[in-house]
């Protein structure tokens, strides 16, 4: 129901590598354009598929879908809500690089509307990470999420200065300003392009520091960062396939193939 490149393609690749097949749905070109409700669409899908991955612009739409049918439903992004399968591949990428998750993690950019950082911060708090939240004041992490993180015992620092974090961070998680969620263009233009990382900014960074990003990037990370040892965002996107293979096996009570656990 909403644009997707990596999430859609990696879910599809994952299912096909497991020997399954995929039915592709897109609200453009479907009966959604004729006014069909999400409830009715899900009733149809229940008759055609064994498991569903749904991306929808409305927060709560995945939960609503899961409550409407008897199939496992995976939230592939619900508006400014959550993106839990992205979190699994983010955690996997961080663990692969550092061997642990109780790290100094700096989350940067649109922490208000960015669903990836909502899910990721909840997960990292449970693994003992210390979080630095970097955003302009208007795009701060929602207070109810900060409340959850504090209740989980998470050590949180709030800042609007990205460059001040470079020397101490183990992970810098960059995000796109979520233009499509702003009530109007003027509000977006006030914060567009506010955080940018380029190779010249990384001189003081720890050698082991990694930069990740759920992608797509707009202008937050200069292309001159791509060939530094810090840049892991394309490996991160590739990790979406094995992560989603494992998750699909879990949902369908199937054995996880050796190629995934390896
Ligand atoms: C993100 C999303 O859709 O929330 N992309 C993704 O799934 N990898 C991030 C974004 O759109 O900025």
């Amino acid at each position: 129901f909403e644009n997707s490149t990596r999430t859609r393609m990696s879910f599809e690749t994952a299912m096909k590598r497991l020997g399954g097949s995929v039915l592709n749905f897109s609200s453009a070109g479907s009966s959604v354009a004729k006014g069909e409700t999400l409830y009715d669409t899900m009733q149809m899908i229940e008759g055609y598929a064994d498991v569903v991955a749904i991306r929808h612009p409305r927060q709560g739409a995945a939960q609503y879908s899961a409550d409407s049918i008897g199939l496992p439903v995976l939230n592939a992004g619900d508006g400014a809500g959550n993106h839990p399968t992205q979190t699994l591949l983010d955690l996997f990428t961080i663990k692969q690089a550092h061997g642990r998750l109780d790290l100094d993690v700096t989350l940067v950019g649109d922490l208000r509307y960015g669903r990836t950082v909502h899910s990721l911060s909840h997960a990292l708090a449970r693994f003992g990470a210390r979080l630095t939240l970097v955003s302009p004041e208007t795009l701060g992490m929602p207070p109810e999420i900060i409340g959850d993180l504090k209740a989980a015992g998470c050590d949180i620092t709030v800042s609007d200065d990205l460059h001040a974090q470079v020397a101490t961070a183990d992970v810098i998680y960059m995000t796109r300003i979520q233009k499509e969620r702003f009530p109007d263009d003027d509000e977006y233009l006030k914060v567009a392009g506010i955080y940018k990382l380029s190779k010249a900014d990384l001189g003081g960074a720890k050698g082991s520091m990694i930069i990740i990003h759920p992608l797509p990037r707009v202008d937050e990370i200069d292309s001159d960062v791509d060939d530094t040892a810090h840049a892991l965002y394309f490996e991160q996107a590739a990790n979406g396939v094995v992560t989603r293979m494992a998750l699909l096996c879990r949902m369908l009570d199937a054995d996880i193939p050796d190629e995934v656990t390896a």
Side-chain angles (χ1 to χ4, degrees):
F1 295 88
E2 196 183 60
N3 294 343
S4 180
T5 301
R6 278 148 291 273
T7 305
R8 177 193 286 269
M9 289 175 73
S10 61
F11 261 121
E12 287 196 18
T13 306
M15 198 54 172
K16 287 175 182 169
R17 284 201 201 164
L18 290 168
S21 62
V22 176
L23 289 174
N24 235 311
F25 172 88
S26 171
S27 54
S30 77
S31 288
V32 173
K34 300 180 190 170
E36 186 160 51
T37 62
L38 177 57
Y39 181 86
D40 282 3
T41 303
M42 294 311 294
Q43 302 309 307
M44 298 309 114
I45 290 171
E46 185 167 26
Y48 302 148
D50 299 306
V51 59
V52 185
I54 178 172
R55 167 167 291 184
H56 198 284
R58 202 153 16 96
Q59 200 165 330
Q63 184 63 56
Y64 174 81
S65 301
D67 294 341
S68 309
I69 56 173
L71 301 180
V73 174
L74 299 165
N75 180 5
D78 63 327
N82 283 284
H83 196 346
T85 70
Q86 177 72 38
T87 289
L88 292 177
L89 72 96
D90 294 342
L91 293 178
F92 180 49
T93 304
I94 298 169
K95 184 87 187 284
Q96 251 188 342
H98 283 287
R100 36 192 269 253
L101 295 167
D102 54 338
L103 299 160
D104 283 299
V105 180
T106 298
L107 306 176
V108 185
D110 189 345
L111 309 184
R112 177 178 182 183
Y113 297 119
R115 55 196 171 199
T116 61
V117 285
H118 298 165
S119 296
L120 181 60
S121 59
H122 278 119
L124 283 171
R126 283 166 178 71
F127 288 103
R130 295 163 297 281
L131 300 181
T132 303
L133 309 177
V134 176
S135 71
E137 208 182 328
T138 52
L139 295 182
M141 188 66 88
E144 61 276 17
I145 296 184
I146 302 238
D148 287 349
L149 299 175
K150 286 193 171 153
C154 187
D155 181 340
I156 298 173
T157 307
V158 175
S159 169
D160 58 6
D161 187 349
L162 165 59
H163 299 290
Q165 318 308 326
V166 169
T168 51
D170 297 309
V171 178
I172 298 183
Y173 192 93
M174 297 294 289
T175 66
R176 176 179 69 90
I177 307 290
Q178 307 282 298
K179 181 171 192 250
E180 67 277 26
R181 314 248 182 257
F182 280 68
D184 64 65
D185 277 357
D186 287 347
E187 289 303 306
Y188 169 69
L189 290 171
K190 283 184 197 160
V191 287
I194 190 163
Y195 294 118
K196 289 184 180 161
L197 264 188
S198 64
K199 195 173 183 169
D201 301 319
L202 304 177
K206 295 181 192 174
S208 60
M209 187 273 281
I210 61 167
I211 301 169
I212 54 178
H213 188 311
L215 302 176
R217 67 174 150 182
V218 180
D219 54 5
E220 313 78 54
I221 305 178
D222 194 281
S223 58
D224 72 0
V225 175
D226 297 2
D227 61 5
T228 70
H230 302 292
L232 273 194
Y233 26 92
F234 295 124
E235 287 85 346
Q236 178 190 6
N239 281 340
V241 178
V242 281
T243 308
R244 293 185 168 109
M245 285 172 81
L247 185 61
L248 286 165
C249 288
R250 270 292 172 86
M251 302 309 291
L252 296 168
D253 252 337
D255 291 333
I256 299 178
D258 291 344
E259 86 173 268
V260 174
T261 42

